[in-house]
Structure formats: C-alpha cells, structure tokens
Amino acid sequence: WLCFLQDFRKQRPELKQKEVLQVASVEWKKLPDAQRAPFASKYDAEKTEYQRAFKAYVDTGKAAAWKRDPEKPKRPPTSFMLFAAEFRAAHPELKMVEQSKQAGAKWKAMSVQQKEPYEKRVAQDWKAYTDAMSKYKASGLESE
C-alpha cells in the first residue's frame, strides 16, 4: 500500500494530502491482485533489505547500547523541572508550549529566595541519587 501511495503521489501531484489518501485508497481497493504484485514485490525487497541491515546493526552490538538497565537509578529532575511540573499542574488549561514559555519566564523572574524550596528538594534528591548510584556501581552492575 505504501509503495502504491508513493507512486500515486508522483502521478497525481495536483491533489492535496487529504484528497490523495481518499482517492488512492479507492483506487487501491479497485486494483486487481495482478496489478498490486509489483508494489508487493517492491515492498518485500525493501523489507528484506531492511531486515538484513537491522540484523547487521544488532550484530555489531550498537543496538544494545540503547537499552537502559532497569536497575540503574534515574537522575533527579532539576529545580526548574520541579517548578515547571508544579506550574503545569496549576495551569492545565494552557497548551504545553504556552505552559513551558510562561514557566520559563516566571522562573527567570523569581528571586533566589523563591527558588530556594526547589533547590533544597533537588539537593535532597541528588544526595539520594548519588547514594543509590554508589550502591549500584559497587554491586558491579555498571559496565563502565
């Protein structure tokens, strides 16, 4: 289907995105199996090539680097991220982008005293994180 759709878009560039999908789906459904075969064989060839390349990638060991050890402690959020989470909870009516912009502006305007509760929480969370990381490293689970 996707190979057909790609080819269809080249043949009918005057159609808008929504129209392309509507018209192409009708034509695809009308297409007999014999005319679908070139698109299916092209898909099968691309799928085989992808599987070969992915297997080569996995065999190099690079794919394993993306996997996170579930035992490894997560880094705590920064003081701004804690503030932003509270700000988002207090302003659910705003879109995410607006929440972020307003939270950033408000954070910049805050005094050191106003930021202090967040900084204290981060200090506590960071201490707990460093303790947990030292235990994690001592257990031998980390491969570094």
Side-chain angles (χ1 to χ4, degrees):
W1 158 248
L2 291 176
C3 294
F4 170 77
L5 186 59
Q6 186 179 21
D7 188 53
F8 186 82
R9 282 185 175 144
K10 289 178 185 171
Q11 293 174 3
R12 306 280 302 271
E14 73 280 359
L15 294 175
K16 291 187 168 45
Q17 180 72 18
K18 188 176 180 182
E19 294 170 338
V20 168
L21 293 174
Q22 290 173 343
V23 175
S25 67
V26 170
E27 288 201 23
W28 176 255
K29 289 174 185 172
K30 286 191 235 175
L31 218 57
D33 288 340
Q35 289 180 329
R36 286 185 183 191
F39 300 109
S41 63
K42 182 180 177 186
Y43 166 76
D44 291 336
E46 288 176 0
K47 182 180 177 184
T48 304
E49 174 59 25
Y50 170 78
Q51 288 174 334
R52 184 199 59 73
F54 186 74
K55 184 178 181 335
Y57 173 72
V58 169
D59 290 344
T60 62
K62 292 180 182 177
W66 287 95
K67 290 186 172 51
R68 184 185 185 282
D69 180 6
E71 300 294 318
K72 187 174 181 178
K74 291 185 179 181
R75 292 179 70 120
T78 63
S79 53
F80 171 72
M81 294 307 285
L82 291 173
F83 170 76
E86 284 182 11
F87 188 87
R88 286 187 179 113
H91 299 87
E93 73 282 356
L94 297 175
K95 292 184 178 179
M96 184 64 120
V97 173
E98 272 305 305
Q99 287 175 339
S100 299
K101 285 179 183 178
Q102 289 184 15
K106 189 171 181 181
W107 179 258
K108 286 180 182 177
M110 288 172 69
S111 68
V112 175
Q113 291 82 13
Q114 291 172 316
K115 293 179 182 181
E116 191 174 350
Y118 302 103
E119 299 290 345
K120 284 182 180 178
R121 276 181 50 199
V122 167
Q124 292 170 350
D125 292 348
W126 191 257
K127 181 166 179 9
Y129 168 74
T130 54
D131 292 345
M133 269 307 283
S134 61
K135 288 178 188 172
Y136 175 76
K137 287 180 181 181
S139 70
L141 292 174
E142 188 171 53
S143 61
E144 285 186 333

